[in-house]
Amino acid sequence: MIGSRARGNRALLKRMLRGGSTIANHTLTHANVAGAGAFAAQQIAATQSIIHHESGFKPCLFRPPYGASRPALSDVVRSFGALSILWDVDSNDRQRPGTATIVADVLRQTRPGSIILMHDGGRDRSQTVAALPTIIRELRRRGLRFVTVEQLLGLRLIGAAGSRRHAALRG
């Protein structure tokens, strides 16, 4: 979740959490923070604060914009009690290549344990939305199932009485 887009969207964030989705930190403004340092820390801290304020949930995962990361950035992320995550399947949906191309790209690349990158903001995402039923149906037909990143990594959310509030990761 981009922090600037989380601000003022309390109902949406809470609905996402109730539905079992994970909310990860994706910086305040979708800035490239690979250089780490004070700028990265500010982008991450602001987003942590906004998401927590709007939803009561403290993100424990961080996805660097553009997949741009260096070891120093991982250290900054860990200082917030979070882990950096990336993907291994890029749907290229941000290019809007057409529904059939999105489907074909995802199905060609996906293996057990894959994390698929898809976008839900910034531009018209009707091709992504149209591709999802076919992708989901075909991956299930292959015997794959959909899990959260925490489940994939064998981690569990902890917090007040096992709730998804004030979450941190425990492996």
Side-chain angles (χ1 to χ4, degrees):
M1 176 68 65
I2 297 170
S4 63
R5 299 223 176 127
R7 187 178 286 124
N9 280 303
R10 178 169 291 178
L12 173 63
L13 271 63
K14 288 186 175 206
R15 188 174 78 221
M16 290 168 63
L17 291 169
R18 277 193 313 271
S21 292
T22 294
I23 298 175
N25 185 322
H26 196 44
T27 71
L28 180 64
T29 62
H30 203 267
N32 185 335
V33 294
F39 177 69
Q42 182 275 330
Q43 286 273 316
I44 294 166
T47 301
Q48 291 287 94
S49 178
I50 291 166
I51 291 172
H52 187 253
H53 172 76
E54 295 292 347
S55 69
F57 179 77
K58 178 184 170 191
C60 47
L61 297 171
F62 171 78
R63 184 170 73 77
Y66 316 104
S69 187
R70 295 187 182 131
L73 179 59
S74 293
D75 292 341
V76 172
V77 171
R78 277 194 298 277
S79 76
F80 289 95
L83 297 173
S84 291
I85 56 166
L86 292 172
W87 61 91
D88 66 315
V89 175
D90 188 346
S91 68
N92 289 308
D93 66 333
R94 69 191 164 284
Q95 303 298 327
R96 296 187 305 164
T99 300
T101 300
I102 294 170
V103 169
D105 286 350
V106 169
L107 295 180
R108 183 182 69 255
Q109 298 175 69
T110 303
R111 306 286 178 267
S114 285
I115 296 175
I116 303 167
L117 175 67
M118 300 184 105
H119 295 81
D120 69 344
R123 296 171 66 182
D124 174 15
R125 295 295 168 212
S126 59
Q127 292 176 9
T128 303
V129 171
L132 282 169
T134 303
I135 291 169
I136 292 167
R137 185 176 52 253
E138 178 58 23
L139 293 178
R140 284 183 173 155
R141 191 193 65 73
R142 293 179 186 180
L144 299 178
R145 62 186 178 93
F146 295 85
V147 298
T148 65
V149 174
E150 292 95 349
Q151 291 168 323
L152 179 67
L153 298 177
L155 303 169
R156 65 185 176 96
L157 293 172
I158 60 171
S163 73
R164 293 176 62 89
R165 295 199 302 263
H166 310 295
L169 290 174
R170 181 182 294 158

